[in-house]
């Protein structure tokens, strides 16, 4: 017959709580930039579908800036993260990185890259 009950100790619970807190901090730090990138991708796709093929790159950029402001993506400027060209339709090359302070002097660096072509977006 067992005299002592066996199970998780206080140290085990403490390690589990610290591990959960660490994972929660990572999720909170990474969630906002990924959500903003998803919003940016969807707005670029929607504007490419609704725009005529002869729209100027500057007009496209200004409309994207307005769309990002309406969707509360205010810390990223479209002209800083994307290059828009108009050769056989609008092409958008998005490339940027976001640095988030994480713990003491450790930063999380998130890099986002994607290319959009108006012809391929409109055929979907």
């Amino acid at each position: 017959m067992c005299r002592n009950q066996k199970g998780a100790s206080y140290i085990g619970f403490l390690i589990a709580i610290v591990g959960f807190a660490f994972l929660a901090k990572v999720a909170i730090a990474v969630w906002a930039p990924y959500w903003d990138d998803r919003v940016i991708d969807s707005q670029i796709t929607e504007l490419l579908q609704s725009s005529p093929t002869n729209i100027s790159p500057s007009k496209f950029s200004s409309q994207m800036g307005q769309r990002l402001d309406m969707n509360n993506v205010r810390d990223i400027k479209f002209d800083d993260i994307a290059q828009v060209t108009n050769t056989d339709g609008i092409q958008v090359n998005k490339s940027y990185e976001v640095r988030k302070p994480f713990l003491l002097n450790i930063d999380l660096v998130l890099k986002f890259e994607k290319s959009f072509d108006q012809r391929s977006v409109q055929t979907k």
Side-chain angles (χ1 to χ4, degrees), residues 38-51 60 64 67 71 116 118 121-122:
R38 185 172 178 216
V39 169
I40 292 168
D41 287 350
S42 67
Q43 291 302 312
I44 290 172
T45 303
E46 287 178 16
L47 189 56
L48 284 174
Q49 287 176 344
S50 64
S51 295
F60 184 87
M64 271 305 301
R67 283 175 174 248
N71 285 295
F116 300 88
Q118 189 174 25
V121 168
Q122 287 179 343

Side-chain angles (χ1 to χ4, degrees), residues 77-92:
K77 300 298 178 205
F78 185 73
D79 292 332
D80 296 338
I81 65 168
Q83 296 176 344
V84 181
T85 57
N86 191 352
T87 54
D88 299 329
I90 295 287
Q91 286 132 9
V92 180

Side-chain angles (χ1 to χ4, degrees), residues 17-28:
I17 290 171
V18 168
F20 179 75
F22 181 78
L23 292 176
K25 183 164 177 63
V26 169
I28 290 170

Side-chain angles (χ1 to χ4, degrees), residues 1 9-10 15-16 23 26 28 35 41 45 61-63 82 84 87 94 96-98 109 112 121:
M1 180 179 250
S9 65
Y10 291 118
I15 290 172
L23 292 176
V26 169
I28 290 170
W35 184 260
D41 287 350
T45 303
S61 294
S62 67
Q63 288 179 355
V84 181
T87 54
K94 178 189 68 152
Y96 67 102
E97 68 179 33
V98 177
V109 179
F112 300 101
V121 168

Side-chain angles (χ1 to χ4, degrees), residues 54-121:
N54 60 354
I55 189 171
S56 69
S58 60
K59 185 171 182 179
F60 184 87
S61 294
S62 67
Q63 288 179 355
M64 271 305 301
Q66 291 171 352
R67 283 175 174 248
L68 293 181
D69 283 342
M70 285 191 306
N71 285 295
N72 204 22
V73 181
R74 301 189 195 283
D75 55 342
I76 298 174
K77 300 298 178 205
F78 185 73
D79 292 332
D80 296 338
I81 65 168
Q83 296 176 344
V84 181
T85 57
N86 191 352
T87 54
D88 299 329
I90 295 287
Q91 286 132 9
V92 180
N93 293 323
K94 178 189 68 152
S95 176
Y96 67 102
E97 68 179 33
V98 177
R99 290 182 178 268
K100 288 294 216 179
F102 182 63
L103 187 65
L104 298 174
N105 64 344
I106 300 171
D107 289 344
L108 296 177
V109 179
L110 308 166
K111 188 167 179 74
F112 300 101
E113 293 179 347
K114 191 167 182 182
S115 296
F116 300 88
D117 186 15
Q118 189 174 25
R119 291 178 296 171
S120 64
V121 168

